[in-house]
Amino acid sequence: MIAPHDLEHCREAIRHGSLSFHAASRLLPARVRDPALALYAFCRLADDEVDLKAEKVEAVLRLRDRLDAVYAGRPKDAAPDRAFAAIVEDFEMPRALPDALLEGLAWDAAERRYSTLSGVKDYSARVASAVGAMMCVLMGVRDAHALARACDLGVAMQLTNIARDVGEDALERRIYLPLDWLEEAGIDPETFLQDPKPTKAMRRMIKRLVMEANRLYMRSEAGVGALPRGCRPGIYAARFIYAGIGGQLTAMGYDSISARARTNKAQKIGWLGQSLLLSGASLMMPRSSVLYARPLEEVQFLVDAAALGRPASSRSDALISVLATLEQRRLEQRAQLTGRSAGVT
């Protein structure tokens, strides 16, 4: 069970660090909301460690060590780690799910770019759908069909984030748009990163991401009715709040380079009300056949891990490989620093 002071720490972290999730979480029942806040705090802080720190390689390897400690029953003496360890124990959280998040963050540290939309979805599965699958575990949902739709929602949210952040990412010399889209448009990635502009071609690519996200948002709705009744308003709210960012991008002509798409408090309140209405309607409506659509290929491993529920499963060869690459990079960086220090003396 999560200690009250650890939970309060996590609650404050989310209140100030993720307004969209905090708003949506208010519609979840307390039995799900509290562990969800703790889960999101751990995942959000892990993401910020990698995203905001200069030493991204070190941040990922520290997260690897923190996850090892959590699953060994000896979490780091910090509120998010202790809270996440309690979640792992109470809900038998399959290790493959947080490991997937770790792998996505490792890809960020390795500055990986993605050749196709499928590659972008591979990344989105790890940094977003993995969290969606973990949320299902907290709700007691292990049905493969419901998990698949939760993963649809995660991919949709991440595609929305990518579409919203094209300009900000470019300033950090990061690019998540599919490279084959850039090639088709005759745009050299390095040239774009040196001078990012909201050209017609770039707006068209951002629109394609928003449209793909919208398709997945629609598909994800079929899974909400398969969730416990008390959880439906919160998940509907997350779906509408994040899709609302895509709506703002549409209103801006898909220019996320000159400005950042934002939603306001009034809009969020409207989406919360819409979520409550849809949740009530879902009690009377038959289940949509879309619930049984095949999972995206990119999220199948998450569906399998959550449905089978293997808390102590070993890390994948792919994750071990990327972590080994980062270890090697860390050694090389340290050697360079040692060499510079020796040169100075």
Side-chain angles (χ1 to χ4, degrees):
M1 185 174 179
I2 302 171
H5 58 282
D6 289 342
L7 179 59
E8 184 56 32
H9 178 97
C10 294
R11 187 178 288 117
E12 284 299 308
I14 293 302
R15 182 179 291 123
H16 298 292
S18 183
L19 296 178
S20 294
F21 182 80
H22 186 263
S25 71
R26 296 173 69 177
L27 296 184
L28 291 169
R31 63 179 177 80
V32 175
R33 181 180 62 248
D34 290 348
L37 288 170
L39 168 66
Y40 221 80
F42 183 86
C43 295
R44 178 59 188 255
L45 293 174
D47 183 63
D48 286 349
E49 272 285 299
V50 178
D51 196 35
L52 303 179
K53 297 291 181 66
E55 298 297 329
K56 299 182 187 301
V57 171
E58 288 284 354
V60 169
L61 295 176
R62 282 197 300 271
L63 177 58
R64 174 203 60 189
D65 295 340
R66 288 167 61 195
L67 282 174
D68 285 343
V70 163
Y71 276 88
R74 299 186 298 273
K76 176 184 173 183
D77 189 18
D81 295 68
R82 291 191 299 266
F84 187 64
I87 289 172
V88 169
E89 181 177 355
D90 293 345
F91 295 91
E92 298 185 346
M93 185 66 68
R95 182 165 181 164
L97 302 181
D99 270 354
L101 173 62
L102 174 63
E103 185 174 16
L105 297 179
W107 289 0
D108 276 335
E111 300 177 338
R112 182 177 292 201
R113 294 179 184 176
Y114 306 98
S115 298
T116 64
L117 180 59
S118 178
V120 177
K121 289 179 180 177
D122 278 331
Y123 170 72
S124 301
R126 285 158 176 79
V127 298
S129 293
V131 180
M134 286 190 275
M135 283 290 296
C136 284
V137 172
L138 298 187
M139 297 177 203
V141 175
R142 300 277 189 165
D143 174 73
H145 300 299
L147 286 162
R149 301 291 75 79
C151 289
D152 284 345
L153 181 57
V155 172
M157 289 176 169
Q158 188 60 29
L159 294 182
T160 300
N161 286 341
I162 291 171
R164 178 194 61 194
D165 296 340
V166 171
E168 291 184 7
D169 286 335
L171 294 177
E172 299 291 332
R173 296 199 58 78
R174 298 182 302 200
I175 190 162
Y176 292 96
L177 293 168
L179 297 181
D180 61 351
W181 290 8
L182 292 167
E183 184 178 358
E184 289 171 11
I187 297 174
D188 176 67
E190 295 305 318
T191 301
F192 169 72
L193 291 176
Q194 289 171 12
D195 186 20
K197 292 181 178 178
T199 62
K200 184 177 181 180
M202 290 304 303
R203 293 183 189 214
R204 188 159 49 243
M205 284 181 258
I206 293 167
K207 179 179 180 179
R208 286 176 71 180
L209 273 187
V210 171
M211 293 300 100
E212 179 62 17
N214 286 344
R215 183 182 74 84
L216 291 171
Y217 283 127
M218 294 295 293
R219 214 166 80 135
S220 73
E221 282 193 32
V224 181
L227 301 177
R229 293 180 180 182
C231 298
R232 295 176 193 179
I235 304 306
Y236 270 127
R239 175 256 187 269
F240 286 116
I241 289 171
Y242 274 86
I245 296 170
Q248 291 297 109
L249 283 170
T250 302
M252 294 163 56
Y254 303 103
D255 175 11
S256 60
I257 297 172
S258 303
R260 179 183 174 89
R262 300 182 185 278
T263 57
N264 57 47
K265 186 175 181 180
Q267 288 174 312
K268 288 186 174 73
I269 291 172
W271 289 319
L272 293 178
Q274 185 179 2
S275 301
L276 289 168
L277 289 173
L278 275 176
S279 298
S282 72
L283 300 177
M284 298 175 284
M285 298 292 290
R287 287 190 176 182
S288 168
S289 60
V290 177
L291 174 65
Y292 306 105
R294 290 173 63 94
L296 294 173
E297 290 183 10
E298 295 85 359
V299 307
Q300 183 69 63
F301 76 106
L302 296 171
V303 174
D304 293 342
L308 294 173
R310 294 174 180 167
S313 62
S314 59
R315 284 185 167 144
S316 69
D317 291 342
L319 176 53
I320 291 170
S321 176
V322 69
L323 291 174
T325 299
L326 294 183
E327 281 279 18
Q328 183 61 36
R329 183 177 295 187
R330 178 168 68 174
L331 291 173
E332 291 170 356
Q333 290 172 345
R334 288 179 175 177
Q336 289 175 355
L337 289 173
T338 301
R340 290 172 187 165
S341 299
V344 171
T345 58

